[in-house]
Amino acid sequence: MPRFLLWLLCVGLLLPGVALTVVRLVEPDLARTTQLQAFTPLGLPLYAAALLLLLLLALRRATRHRLLVVPIAVAVAGLALHAVWFAPLVSGSVPRSATDAPTTGVMTANLLAGAGDATRLVVEASEAGTDVLVVSEVTRGDVAEMEGVGLSDVFPHRLGQAEAADGFVGATMVFSREPIELVETLDTTFDGMLVRTGDLTFLAVHPAPPTLYADWKADHRAILEVAEREGVDVIAGDLNATLDHAPLRALVDAGYRDAAEITNAGLAATWPVDGGFPLLSLLPPSVAIDHVLVSEARTVTRTRTVDVPGSDHRAVLATVAPR
């Protein structure tokens, strides 16, 4: 490959990598940079590929080595920094559950205002032995379809009210196998509920997306405040934020851990998939914005993501147990 093309490829890889690094470090108070920050893990392959190309240039001796010092240093530093940020998702000890402790299957999904396959969601939840199902952007039509495949048989208890599919829908509902109690309604842009079922206290949440930046920040402040005040056991929903965003890092600082991080499951990306983004349908999701978070008193023994045809999100399944 000609030297010019190698340099062009290096620049094309390093520039977006550096942009992701700067945004993650500085965290500008802007909607657009907050959206970009969600893609922070992509810095790893960008820096790794750039470093390989730079080493190839060095090995070919087609470029003066002193011209390669700075870009190689940038690539190595960026790769190391992003590796540190990503490492907790794939390494670390997994807290053990208490002996003979009962487990709770938790599932969270976003149905994209009626576009997602609601019947498939019920089937997946039932087959996985889910005990508590948190659904965002659910419509009355979704609930009717879910009833048609035995929703009430699987989850006889529910909280929340589905909205008609007029424009963007922010309705969130919680379905449970066991009796469920509404403790508090959150003052957030979309529906959010503090609920209790069995010995667990749940926050079912769907904060505003970062495109509504002021609302996004306010909603996450409200979630953190309630979680700390009430000693919530589980936070589940479409949080419209990744572990690279300050609001989720604040929850981590408060003692909450993500199911994928606990089980060393890696990125566990949930967005974007086909619904609403057809040009991206051939690519895997790259952003983890749907979460099951647990308090220090709980652990997660298994977790995985699940396809929901028609939605732009994958669902998250997690098995929660006391430590």
Side-chain angles (χ1 to χ4, degrees), residues 180-202:
I180 187 167
E181 171 194 0
L182 177 62
V183 179
E184 181 180 343
T185 300
L186 274 65
D187 183 20
T188 51
T189 305
F190 304 138
D191 304 36
M193 292 175 282
L194 175 64
V195 304
R196 185 175 291 116
T197 178
D199 65 342
L200 290 176
T201 304
F202 276 79

Side-chain angles (χ1 to χ4, degrees), residues 271-283:
W271 183 92
V273 289
D274 189 13
F277 295 89
L279 295 179
L280 297 178
S281 61
L282 299 178
L283 300 176

Side-chain angles (χ1 to χ4, degrees), residues 34-112:
T34 300
Q35 291 174 276
L36 180 62
Q37 194 174 337
F39 295 90
T40 296
L42 295 182
L44 269 174
L46 288 171
Y47 281 120
L51 182 59
L52 287 174
L53 291 176
L54 289 165
L55 293 176
L56 179 60
L57 279 169
L59 290 172
R60 290 179 60 174
R61 298 181 180 178
T63 302
R64 294 180 183 179
H65 285 187
R66 60 188 176 86
L67 296 178
L68 293 169
V69 171
V70 172
I72 287 178
V74 170
V76 169
L79 186 62
L81 188 55
H82 282 260
V84 168
W85 288 334
F86 189 78
L89 292 175
V90 293
S91 63
S93 60
V94 179
R96 297 177 61 185
S97 60
T99 304
D100 298 325
T103 61
T104 303
V106 180
M107 186 176 190
T108 179
N110 183 316
L111 284 176
L112 189 59

Side-chain angles (χ1 to χ4, degrees), residues 133-147:
L133 173 63
V134 178
V135 188
S136 302
E137 295 190 38
V138 58
T139 68
R140 294 173 191 156
D142 290 329
V143 175
E145 291 177 9
M146 294 162 81
E147 293 286 12

